[in-house]
Amino acid sequence: MAELVHVRLDDVRKGFPGTGPVLDGVSLEVAPGEFVAVVGPSGCGKSTLFTVLGGLEPPDSGRVLVDGRDATGATAPFAYMPQQDLLFPWRTVLDNTALGLEVAGVSRAEARKRAGELFEPFGLAGFERSRPGELSGGMRQRAALLRTVVLDRPVLLLDEPFGALDSLTRADMQAWLDGVRATFDRSIVMITHDLREAVYLADRVLVLGPRPTRVIAEVVVDLPRPRVPDVVTTPAFTALEERVHHALRSAMRGPVTRAQRAGGSGLGR
Amino acid sequence: MTATPPRTAEPRPAPVAAPPDAATRARRSSWRRAWPAVVLVAVLLVVWQVYVDVSGIKPQLLPSPLRVLEQGWAHRDQLWANTVPTLQVTLVGFGASLAVAWALAIAADFVPWIRRALTPLLVASQTVPIIAIAPLMIIWFGFGMLPKVLVIALVTFFPVAVGLIEGFAATDKAATDLLRSMGASRWDQFRYVRLPGALPRFFTALRIGITYAVTGAVFAEYVGATAGLGIYMSIQKNAFRTDLVLAAVGVTAVLSVALFGLTYVVERLVIPWSRRG
Ligand SMILES: Nc1ncnc2c1ncn2[C@@H]1O[C@H](COP(=O)(O)OP(=O)(O)O)[C@@H](O)[C@H]1O
Ligand SMILES: [Mg+2]
């Protein structure tokens, strides 16, 4: 089991030629074992934030710190699940989920064995030798998540893992991910556009502003765990969801000036 | 597939090839795809035959399809003896072309400046008029196999190399990012994603290339050879045996179509996962 780590993103700025600044001084922290959800307007830079955090794109300025040490550009602490499931049609489901281990130099047999052991808990038993195209949307997402979890890295970066699912399957998957989280002790950062999902799963919800983006609000979710699906109807849950919703709505209402931001509501970091 | 029932709320998707008689279905579906072409060829042949019969045109000028068939069959030993060297030259030439195309395409995928250097060259190789180059090849390299192999390589190299280079480059950035996040080296990215991802495009290019290869071989032989369908056509033309020229053309067509069909068989074996109609 990978050792849990503390992750800090320190005033990260990032732009692309043609887009101008996308990340405009994003700072955040993820405590060991914490589940942080990230929400924000579409196109604000959430996925970009993950590519910098996960060491795939260099920031223009700012740093990624893991346990206090500079880890900018390092991929090793992070298991990254991109927005598309990216299961390759030329590999069986088992070989897709074992890919990361193979890349890491684990022998093919050992990689398949380790990934295969997770098929049961991930609800994929019996589909080891299927092709990705034969799986339903929910199963594809679980396979992509299995491929991420089996890497045994301390921090999971999940980019809209359930974005492509219908709401019923989605609710199932959320309950199931909460179970996975309890079994596999990892820090998780998850991007989502579903506020209920964010509050239901996370210990903390970070709200990003429109592009150029930064963290404009933070909502601590102090609901007891394990969370049962019924929790969403409790007044405490509804109040938290409303706070996230409100922060997001005020963020999207017209361009926010720097002064307003700096003054903030005490929510930004 | 193990017999373990899936332990999930979702029902298992229906198996893809459920009906028992898959072979019959495949045969029926390939017939459904092929029949318009078959009917069209049959109609054209009938029109040709009727025209020759009705107009009473001299067979030296335009032989009827039945006469071509009849004379072709009567000279089948000669035709076969000339088909073998053509097939040989086609396969050797195309094989050489494939080997060089793969080597250069891989080099171009790994080294950007090689790619930039190569692209204009590839395009230029297509603008070279074969009609002018083929006789020069014979002058330079004689009547053996080498000039033919070179002509075939020249005409087939471009589609294959370009298909490969573009296939590698078409790799999704998100897929590359995924591999990088796993810690994959450039070589790992190539063998796990870029290479398999390029194979469907490669087979498309292979099909274009193989038909060019047969035509290229026949043309090179036409210019100068000791044996082969090309030189056979040239000799029969000079003897005013248009029926035998057309018989040789027919053999060339059959050869092309057979090699073309073979690429589908190989494709199905190499990339069974590729979904294609
Ligand atoms: N590699 C890139 N090159 C150029 N522009 C990019 C790149 N990646 C993202 N962008 C731009 O950055 C902005 C934020 O994109 P993204 O992070 O995907 O948003 P989100 O995930 O929040 O929807 C978009 O305008 C997008 O076009
Ligand atoms: Mg995104």
Side-chain angles (χ1 to χ4, degrees), chain B residues 45-79:
Chain B
L45 287 176
V46 167
V47 168
W48 176 4
Q49 180 73 41
V50 168
Y51 173 77
V52 171
D53 288 347
V54 170
S55 70
I57 191 169
K58 272 201 243 149
Q60 289 89 333
L61 213 53
L62 182 66
S64 74
L66 282 177
R67 187 189 161 94
V68 170
L69 203 64
E70 187 192 327
Q71 287 303 307
W73 182 249
H75 293 79
R76 62 186 178 278
D77 290 345
Q78 272 181 29
L79 278 170

Side-chain angles (χ1 to χ4, degrees), chain A residues 110-253:
Chain A
E110 173 67 17
R112 288 171 144 206
K113 185 174 144 285
R114 277 198 230 163
E117 281 165 2
L118 294 183
F119 269 60
E120 183 79 49
F122 276 67
L124 292 165
F127 288 87
E128 288 83 352
R129 295 173 64 186
S130 304
R131 295 279 164 178
E134 297 169 49
L135 302 189
S136 68
M139 298 176 92
R140 291 175 67 97
Q141 298 282 356
R142 286 202 291 269
L145 198 55
L146 197 166
R147 178 183 60 196
T148 317
V149 169
V150 77
L151 289 180
D152 202 22
R153 293 179 177 182
V155 185
L156 302 186
L157 303 179
L158 313 178
D159 193 346
E160 304 206 19
F162 310 134
L165 302 181
D166 62 85
S167 61
L168 263 178
T169 316
R170 206 180 163 98
D172 279 353
M173 295 287 293
Q174 288 161 5
W176 173 84
L177 179 60
D178 197 40
V180 169
R181 188 198 101 90
T183 322
F184 303 90
D185 201 20
R186 312 284 162 88
S187 309
I188 301 180
V189 188
M190 182 180 76
I191 294 172
T192 177
H193 58 253
D194 182 337
L195 305 188
R196 180 165 295 178
E197 176 175 291
V199 175
Y200 177 72
L201 288 170
D203 300 310
R204 207 147 46 89
V205 180
L206 300 179
V207 181
L208 297 185
R211 202 179 85 211
T213 196
R214 59 166 66 184
V215 178
I216 55 156
E218 174 194 68
V219 175
V220 174
V221 183
D222 47 5
L223 299 170
R225 287 189 184 275
R227 302 204 177 132
V228 287
D230 285 345
V231 74
V232 299
T233 56
T234 61
F237 187 97
T238 331
L240 286 166
E241 196 185 340
E242 179 50 37
R243 275 179 60 200
V244 176
H245 192 208
H246 178 79
L248 198 56
R249 222 176 27 224
S250 58
M252 290 167 78
R253 200 181 299 132

Side-chain angles (χ1 to χ4, degrees), chain A residues 56 120 126-127 134 136 153, chain B residues 1 7 10 12-13 180-181:
Chain A
L56 298 170
E120 183 79 49
F127 288 87
E134 297 169 49
S136 68
R153 293 179 177 182
Chain B
M1 178 74 50
R7 283 171 193 83
E10 289 160 71
R12 171 112 207 236
R180 285 176 57 218
S181 80

Side-chain angles (χ1 to χ4, degrees), chain B residues 98-182:
Chain B
L98 282 182
V100 178
W102 270 95
L104 286 182
I106 292 173
D109 192 52
F110 276 85
V111 189
W113 68 259
I114 293 188
R115 182 175 181 174
R116 283 195 294 275
L118 222 51
T119 312
L121 207 70
L122 288 174
V123 176
S125 81
Q126 279 315 277
T127 63
V128 171
I130 292 300
I131 288 206
I133 287 293
L136 288 182
M137 294 276 187
I138 306 288
I139 292 172
W140 294 335
F141 303 110
F143 288 83
M145 205 168 207
L146 184 61
K148 283 147 206 122
V149 167
L150 289 176
V151 167
I152 294 169
L154 201 60
V155 291
T156 60
F157 176 70
F158 176 79
V160 176
V162 168
L164 278 173
I165 290 175
E166 287 182 350
F168 296 146
T171 306
D172 196 351
K173 176 169 187 301
T176 305
D177 276 353
L178 175 68
L179 267 284
R180 285 176 57 218
S181 80
M182 291 169 169

